[in-house]
Amino acid sequence: MTDEMRERLVRSMAQRVVAACSPLPVAVVCDDPEVAEWAAALGASVMWEPGQGLNGAVGAGVEQLAAAGVRWVTVAHGDLPRARGLGALAPCPGITLVPDRKDDGTNVLRLPVDCGFNFAYGPGSFRSHRAEASRLGLPVRVLRIPALAYDVDWPADLDELST
């Protein structure tokens, strides 16, 4: 895949995730000027968090939203090519987790901003996020939604996408 093809794919997936959040407002946490410009052009709020890594950036974004008066957030990453219905996830007390199709990663996570949650994205994040919710004494709801369970982490995931 050429750099241009990869960029088109990434933008297409991320744009689909943003659209799937409707009717909720969207905030994009990033440390890249092009991503910030792209997000702003889509009407998303941009939260600039340079040099934090994924977990630090998500945590900082949640803190910024809490400071702005937001009570609940839904965290979704931009590599969900089949995303839909993010803005329609029914509320529940505690933490909502949508694992990837391998029950390894966490593709979507909904939580109250004031719960002190420590994010642990990366290999095994689904298990880690369940353990974190337990540590905090929060109930966990696991939703297995095929459109949200499909993410693109490896080139082989693209082969499956085309089927």
Side-chain angles (χ1 to χ4, degrees), residues 16-144:
R16 185 169 183 112
V17 171
V18 170
C21 293
S22 180
L24 299 175
V26 175
V28 173
V29 181
C30 66
D31 65 356
D32 181 279
E34 278 188 59
V35 172
E37 185 178 315
W38 168 85
L42 289 178
S45 299
V46 175
M47 298 183 167
W48 191 257
E49 290 296 337
Q52 300 246 19
L54 179 57
N55 292 308
V58 172
V62 169
E63 287 176 12
Q64 284 189 49
L65 290 167
V70 172
R71 295 179 54 214
W72 288 84
V73 296
T74 301
V75 179
H77 301 288
D79 66 344
L80 307 176
R82 296 176 176 160
R84 65 176 183 266
L86 283 165
L89 289 177
C92 81
I95 307 291
T96 298
L97 298 172
V98 179
D100 67 11
R101 63 197 183 285
K102 298 171 187 158
D103 275 356
D104 184 56
T106 308
N107 285 357
V108 179
L109 194 157
R110 185 175 188 279
L111 72 158
V113 297
D114 61 354
C115 69
F117 196 86
N118 291 312
F119 297 95
Y121 287 103
S125 69
F126 176 55
R127 185 174 47 257
S128 296
H129 288 145
R130 285 183 84 154
E132 178 64 4
S134 293
R135 182 188 73 82
L136 294 170
L138 295 168
V140 175
R141 173 179 67 169
V142 176
L143 299 177
R144 298 188 190 286

